[in-house]
Amino acid sequence: MQELNIGGKLLDEEQIAQKVREMAKEIEEEFEGEEIYVIGILKGACIFVSDLIRHLNCPVKLDFMSLSSYGMSLESSGVVKILKDLDMDIEGKNVLVVEDIIDTGLTMEYLKGYLTARKCKKLKICTLLDKPEGRKCDIVADFTGFHLPDEFIIGYGIDCQENYRNLPYIAYVK
């Protein structure tokens, strides 16, 4: 395992938990109590999506997709590959895509087009973290937890070469 020089915490456990509760309320208001098909983006959003759906007080169906533009690299290749597609049909459904972080936006832009073509009723994007400084396309999440500077981060599901996902906080790497 590559040892990283962790520079410090950006967000602690309580800050994250409070924001997840706030976001769940916003999402409930948007969908007005209707059933939501939540699509968690693996692997990074697994912890966030698990915490988020436990605070949603409306009918929820859960599915996952896995996409890659990084592979084992530290930088996006810009080429999006679907590694795992949906198991559910989303046509005519309310869909909430839950992502850990939007950086370049290329993956989310691709995914938004891909899911829109499946004729869902409503498609909304939720991200815990947004790094707009790194944006390479015009994509904006409907629900955003925190805006972060353009730092390399780890923790709360976010990895560096498959390590550090289990940290209960979000830290930056020097």
Side-chain angles (χ1 to χ4, degrees):
M1 175 168 93
Q2 174 185 352
E3 283 297 318
L4 295 181
N5 186 2
I6 298 175
K9 288 183 187 177
L10 288 172
L11 301 167
D12 66 29
E13 292 174 70
E14 183 48 43
Q15 288 172 295
I16 296 167
Q18 178 61 36
K19 185 57 75 174
V20 169
R21 289 189 296 270
E22 291 170 10
M23 293 175 79
K25 285 182 183 176
E26 291 176 33
I27 291 163
E28 285 175 16
E29 290 171 10
E30 173 66 33
F31 289 100
E32 301 174 335
E34 292 184 20
E35 184 174 64
I36 306 171
Y37 280 60
V38 175
I39 301 171
I41 306 303
L42 296 173
K43 298 177 188 170
C46 66
I47 294 171
F48 174 43
V49 76
S50 296
D51 288 347
L52 182 68
I53 65 171
R54 286 184 290 181
H55 293 287
L56 291 174
N57 294 310
C58 58
V60 172
K61 296 261 195 293
L62 178 63
D63 203 347
F64 292 94
M65 289 186 76
S66 180
L67 300 103
S68 177
S69 66
Y70 284 80
M72 291 302 282
S73 173
L74 299 180
E75 292 184 24
S76 175
S77 67
V79 177
V80 179
K81 296 180 196 170
I82 295 177
L83 305 176
K84 183 218 174 289
D85 207 337
L86 294 174
D87 296 325
M88 299 184 300
D89 178 16
I90 60 169
E91 186 173 340
K93 310 295 186 206
N94 291 315
V95 174
L96 178 69
V97 176
V98 179
E99 180 66 290
D100 56 350
I101 185 167
I102 299 177
D103 190 355
T104 66
L106 296 172
T107 300
M108 192 52 63
E109 180 180 59
Y110 174 85
L111 184 57
K112 186 175 182 180
Y114 182 78
L115 295 175
T116 299
R118 291 186 167 189
K119 301 177 183 160
C120 45
K121 176 180 174 181
K122 185 186 276 191
L123 175 65
K124 297 292 180 178
I125 298 168
C126 173
T127 186
L128 180 63
L129 307 171
D130 189 16
K131 293 189 343 187
E133 291 175 32
R135 201 73 88 243
K136 293 184 178 176
C137 60
D138 188 26
I139 191 88
V140 177
D142 300 287
F143 308 98
T144 300
F146 301 96
H147 294 280
L148 294 181
D150 197 16
E151 300 275 351
F152 191 85
I153 60 169
I154 55 171
Y156 195 70
I158 301 166
D159 73 306
C160 176
Q161 298 177 334
E162 295 300 324
N163 297 304
Y164 303 101
R165 290 186 195 278
N166 59 317
L167 296 176
Y169 54 84
I170 293 172
Y172 69 95
V173 177
K174 284 187 178 179

